[in-house]
Amino acid sequence: MNHASNRLLKSFRLRSTPTRQEILHLFLKKEYALSHSDIESEIDEDIDRVTVYRTLKTFNDRGLIHKVLDDAGTLKYALCSEACSATQHSHEHVHFKCVQCGQTNCLDVEIPTVKLPEGYKAREVNLLVQGTCQNCS
Ligand SMILES: [Zn+2]
Ligand SMILES: [Zn+2]
Ligand SMILES: [Zn+2]
């Protein structure tokens, strides 16, 4: 059925289950970041919240998807485009939230280096730009 998602699961050495296939298929199909409720409203209603949560955690831990922080504090996820792995997510790109359609996308734009005062160490940098996207402007 979902060949692309099956192949992806395989290449990340993840066992292929119907739930994993379905959720991954959704990420491949949609071109924007997905929140828990986005996913829940699209997938088979037999799949419970906990399973969705666990699946997303597994995907994130393995480097298939990454977290996208939205302005309202909503956590969304998007597919990783670069070679991310279970040990590290290797991309620091800008995320863009469209105020018209509400979709958040990964942009192929690198986050500028942030100079921190002495004694501060960055662990993670998130940059969310808000505005209107290509489709809406
Ligand atoms: Zn990643
Ligand atoms: Zn838009
Ligand atoms: Zn991203």
Side-chain angles (χ1 to χ4, degrees):
M1 207 170 77
N2 300 323
H3 294 296
S5 45
N6 248 336
R7 215 178 313 131
L8 205 55
L9 285 170
K10 210 174 218 175
S11 68
F12 278 84
R13 292 202 209 98
L14 281 165
R15 198 161 48 86
S16 185
T17 66
T19 307
R20 285 177 177 172
Q21 275 185 38
E22 193 164 349
I23 294 178
L24 194 53
H25 181 67
L26 205 60
F27 276 108
L28 291 165
K29 203 170 65 178
K30 306 281 181 187
E31 283 169 344
Y32 50 88
L34 300 168
S35 67
H36 266 252
S37 49
D38 289 338
I39 294 163
E40 275 170 24
S41 63
E42 296 260 3
I43 58 170
D44 196 328
E45 52 187 40
D46 289 347
I47 306 172
D48 63 77
R49 295 181 71 99
V50 180
T51 311
V52 174
Y53 178 83
R54 275 207 213 110
T55 307
L56 291 174
K57 190 179 181 309
T58 305
F59 285 176
N60 183 64
D61 288 349
R62 292 295 186 98
L64 260 130
I65 58 173
H66 61 279
K67 288 177 181 170
V68 178
L69 298 170
D70 218 70
D71 63 324
T74 317
L75 183 60
K76 294 183 172 179
Y77 290 95
L79 271 186
C80 293
S81 51
E82 290 104 305
C84 292
S85 70
T87 45
Q88 204 178 1
H89 282 276
S90 62
H91 45 81
E92 282 189 349
H93 55 260
V94 171
H95 288 129
F96 189 92
K97 158 117 185 196
C98 177
V99 293
Q100 299 268 348
C101 63
Q103 291 181 358
T104 310
N105 287 295
C106 298
L107 290 188
D108 197 12
V109 175
E110 217 176 294
I111 294 178
T113 317
V114 181
K115 259 195 138 186
L116 295 171
E118 227 184 277
Y120 290 84
K121 260 191 198 162
R123 199 177 56 116
E124 208 183 298
V125 186
N126 293 299
L127 182 59
L128 182 73
V129 180
Q130 298 190 62
T132 33
C133 76
Q134 269 180 332
N135 297 330
C136 296
S137 54

